[in-house]
Amino acid sequence: MSIEARRQDHRRARRDGRERDPTHYPVEKKMGEDSLQTWIVELLRPLIERWYGELGRPRFVGADQFIYYQQFDPSKVVAPDVYVLPGVAPGRRVRNWKVWETGIAPSFALEVVSSDDPYEEYADALERYRELGVKELVIFDPDWEKSRDRVRWLRYRRLKARGFVRVEATNVDRIYVRVLGCWLRVTGDGEEARLRLATGPEGEELFPAATEAERADVEAERAAKEAALERIAVLEAQIASAAGAGSKGSGAA
């Protein structure tokens, strides 16, 4: 069905008293996914959500949902591996996202390359992200070493003077992401490759995952208790020493 036919169907629906858009917007993908891609996403998505929470700017951080950006045309869609919706609270249920309903497009999107021909895979995707209005897109290729034509990181930004353009292509292990306000950094190699958030001038400090943060809190609490017990022991020893010295002085008198 053409876009104009869908619009006519929508107008008929409104005349008939039906408020909903009759266009069908699918909710889920009918294809498999590389397990490495899944592991990367499962670690990174909650990290970004926690990062925004600790900054005091909570955001909805989603993964693998369809995002539609032109009403009546379900072919105008992207499905980022990870994405951020500014102004949308975390924890909201999202089956798919329709930009025209809220006026909110993702501020950040990540794509993890899983194809043997990544440039063919993303040639069309880049135009879709441009039309969507995303502020920053990062494409990560975990298999970049398979060919000298492949690149570990590609980063695109929306610039006032130039529009949506590539601003970085590099094989280093980390890149700075303006929208996130921190670094994306690779840890591990091959099938063990994962993406983490990092802070510091050069991305030298890894932002901890939830379990790591919990362990750090437990260790800090234990260290504080041990330090307190040591101070108590020193004070008790000082009191005992002073009491002993007092007793000797009384006996001498």
Side-chain angles (χ1 to χ4, degrees):
M1 182 184 293
S2 69
I3 295 175
E4 182 55 35
R6 291 191 184 98
R7 286 176 176 154
Q8 291 176 3
D9 191 17
H10 181 57
R11 286 194 288 268
R12 284 194 296 271
R14 292 184 66 86
R15 287 197 301 269
D16 294 342
R18 291 180 288 132
E19 293 297 327
R20 69 178 184 85
D21 180 348
T23 309
H24 175 61
Y25 302 97
V27 170
E28 57 186 3
K29 293 182 281 189
K30 301 296 184 182
M31 62 182 69
E33 191 171 81
D34 187 332
S35 61
L36 177 58
Q37 185 179 17
T38 301
W39 296 330
I40 289 172
V41 170
E42 286 178 347
L43 175 62
L44 185 62
R45 192 211 64 78
L47 275 176
I48 297 176
E49 187 172 87
R50 284 188 55 248
W51 167 251
Y52 274 116
E54 294 204 5
L55 290 178
R57 305 198 309 267
R59 301 279 191 277
F60 179 91
V61 183
D64 294 320
Q65 278 94 17
F66 283 147
I67 299 175
Y68 296 95
Y69 55 90
Q70 184 171 305
Q71 193 174 16
F72 313 116
D73 189 355
S75 70
K76 297 294 185 180
V77 62
V78 295
D81 290 311
V82 179
Y83 64 94
V84 175
L85 292 175
V88 180
R92 173 172 173 171
R93 182 181 182 183
V94 173
R95 293 171 60 82
N96 57 30
W97 188 258
K98 304 179 183 75
V99 172
W100 61 87
E101 291 184 345
T102 61
I104 298 174
S107 55
F108 168 77
L110 171 79
E111 291 280 3
V112 179
V113 175
S114 59
S115 169
D116 289 332
D117 193 354
Y119 298 103
E120 179 178 338
E121 178 180 352
Y122 288 107
D124 180 56
L126 293 175
E127 178 62 20
R128 293 175 183 272
Y129 279 108
R130 184 192 66 77
E131 294 176 344
L132 170 65
V134 69
K135 290 183 178 179
E136 195 162 15
L137 167 68
V138 171
I139 299 176
F140 171 66
D141 186 351
D143 296 317
W144 65 280
E145 292 180 293
K146 288 184 176 181
S147 168
R148 64 179 59 187
D149 296 327
R150 298 175 74 158
V151 182
R152 175 181 265 173
W153 299 105
L154 292 170
R155 186 166 68 94
Y156 295 79
R157 276 185 57 79
R158 189 169 302 277
L159 305 177
K160 288 183 179 180
R162 298 166 56 199
F164 188 64
V165 295
R166 191 178 75 186
V167 294
E168 188 172 6
T170 180
N171 290 327
V172 299
D173 69 342
R174 67 198 72 176
I175 59 169
Y176 187 78
V177 182
R178 293 278 299 276
V179 167
L180 299 181
C182 63
W183 299 75
L184 277 179
R185 178 172 156 185
V186 183
T187 61
D189 298 309
E191 295 182 359
E192 301 298 321
R194 301 291 185 270
L195 294 185
R196 299 287 300 269
L197 301 185
T199 61
E202 301 298 330
E204 64 273 14
E205 300 176 17
L206 288 177
F207 179 68
T211 53
E212 294 169 340
E214 290 169 2
R215 283 199 300 269
D217 289 342
V218 170
E219 289 297 325
E221 184 177 353
R222 185 172 65 182
K225 287 181 179 179
E226 290 177 351
L229 290 173
E230 288 178 2
R231 288 194 296 271
I232 291 171
V234 170
L235 287 172
E236 289 177 341
Q238 291 173 345
I239 291 170
S241 177
S247 298
K248 290 179 181 179
S250 298

